[in-house]
Amino acid sequence: MRLRFFDPRFIATILLTLSSATALAHEFAKDGILVEHPWARPTHAKTVPAAVYFNVVNKGEGADRLLSVSTTRAKNVEVHKTTIDDKNIARMRPVADGLTIPAGATVSMETGSYHVMLIGLDAPLKAEERFPVTLTFEKAGEIDVEI
């Protein structure tokens, strides 16, 4: 049996494939806060800090703040921001007093901007590995995500 592009069975197959991809999206949500696609790069040694990246979408009516991040995989976890000074030198500094997520906004944790640093890993991060992290927000509370 051959399927043609205009064949309804072909169209149904494509639609089912696309809807399955959406269902597999790596997202976590609670009380108007959506955490999208958390991930981390593998590390070569446990002595090397690791960065965690994701998007935070505030679908709520008011601002919220990311107060802290925790995981059993690291001794210390900090939200950092990368800045570049007038001499083109990049510096990473912890964010004091939490990270505000304005209502209706998306804040991206990405290279060269905000990110989460895992310091004092219990073991190197491996490709395809998954591990839990808890994000604590001022209003939404704790959101458990899988990196």
Side-chain angles (χ1 to χ4, degrees), residues 35 54 56 66 68-70 116 133-137 141-145:
V35 179
F54 50 88
V56 180
L66 176 59
S68 66
V69 182
S70 62
V116 173
V133 169
T134 300
L135 308 175
T136 302
F137 291 86
E142 292 184 352
I143 300 178
D144 294 324
V145 303

Side-chain angles (χ1 to χ4, degrees), residues 7-24:
D7 188 321
R9 292 172 292 176
F10 177 78
I11 294 169
T13 301
I14 294 299
L15 290 174
L16 282 172
T17 301
L18 292 174
S19 66
S20 296
T22 302
L24 295 174

Side-chain angles (χ1 to χ4, degrees), residues 14-140:
I14 294 299
L15 290 174
L16 282 172
T17 301
L18 292 174
S19 66
S20 296
T22 302
L24 295 174
H26 194 188
E27 299 176 343
F28 304 86
K30 182 180 174 191
D31 296 339
I33 296 293
L34 175 66
V35 179
E36 299 177 318
H37 314 295
W39 66 281
R41 286 188 181 99
T43 59
H44 300 289
K46 71 180 191 176
T47 57
V48 176
V52 174
Y53 307 101
F54 50 88
N55 292 324
V56 180
V57 181
N58 186 346
K59 295 184 175 195
E61 294 182 15
D64 205 341
R65 278 190 316 141
L66 176 59
L67 300 175
S68 66
V69 182
S70 62
T71 181
T72 58
R73 291 297 317 272
K75 291 179 183 174
N76 192 21
V77 183
E78 299 175 351
V79 176
H80 281 194
K81 180 170 180 157
T82 302
T83 58
I84 299 177
D85 66 17
D86 57 351
K87 295 179 183 176
N88 210 26
I89 297 173
R91 300 184 191 284
M92 290 184 288
R93 300 278 188 245
V95 175
D97 302 323
L99 176 60
T100 299
I101 315 297
T106 298
V107 174
S108 295
M109 301 283 185
E110 59 191 9
T111 301
S113 183
Y114 294 108
H115 55 280
V116 173
M117 291 299 297
L118 306 180
I119 304 164
L121 293 170
D122 62 351
L125 299 183
K126 297 179 182 176
E128 306 300 321
E129 173 186 8
R130 295 178 180 265
F131 60 93
V133 169
T134 300
L135 308 175
T136 302
F137 291 86
E138 184 175 51
K139 294 179 183 171

